[in-house]
Amino acid sequence: MTVGFGVRNFENLEKGLTEMFRVLKPGGTLVVLEFSQPKSAVLRGLYTFYSTKVTPFLGKLISKDKAAYTYLHESVSAFPFGKDFTAILEKQDFKIRVFVRSPLELLLWYLQKNN
């Protein structure tokens, strides 16, 4: 099962993950791709500027909906990432964690295997 940039929008994260675990075949794999907050202060500053100023501005120009693009940064900022998210996955009984950070630290892959 794969989810790209959607888990952070679950109304109830733990309930959504519980449901994903329920429908995943025994031995099945869950792959989650989500945005992250860069660890580097320089990258984090650039990312914050881009996601709070540039992205909403471009979104307003292209789609006339600045709010949708402002929401993106807010949802990424509020989402538990890294070890915090893997701890939530483990609480939902997912096992065998592989955690891959992209070169610029903006994306994280979480690979979880169901028992």
Side-chain angles (χ1 to χ4, degrees):
M1 178 184 304
T2 58
V3 181
F5 311 110
V7 173
R8 76 178 181 287
N9 294 316
F10 286 179
E11 184 176 344
N12 182 319
L13 179 59
E14 290 187 9
K15 187 175 180 181
L17 293 171
T18 298
E19 190 62 14
M20 292 171 82
F21 186 86
R22 184 187 69 78
V23 300
L24 195 61
K25 291 180 186 177
T29 300
L30 169 65
V31 178
V32 177
L33 175 63
E34 272 300 345
F35 288 111
S36 177
Q37 304 271 336
K39 286 183 179 180
S40 158
V42 172
L43 283 178
R44 193 171 42 253
L46 290 170
Y47 165 77
T48 300
F49 175 77
Y50 187 83
S51 63
T52 59
K53 305 295 184 207
V54 177
T55 301
F57 175 76
L58 292 175
K60 183 177 179 184
L61 283 178
I62 296 167
S63 74
K64 310 292 187 246
D65 187 1
K66 181 179 178 180
Y69 294 89
T70 301
Y71 167 77
L72 178 62
H73 175 72
E74 293 168 356
S75 71
V76 171
S77 296
F79 187 75
F81 61 93
K83 291 180 182 178
D84 293 335
F85 183 58
T86 56
I88 293 169
L89 287 165
E90 288 175 341
K91 185 178 175 185
Q92 303 305 315
D93 291 327
F94 286 98
K95 305 290 182 215
I96 308 176
R97 178 177 68 245
V98 176
F99 174 63
V100 181
R101 190 178 285 276
S102 72
L104 292 178
E105 302 179 349
L106 295 176
L107 302 173
L108 296 178
W109 288 91
Y110 301 90
L111 290 79
Q112 299 289 332
K113 189 170 183 181
N114 177 338
N115 292 337

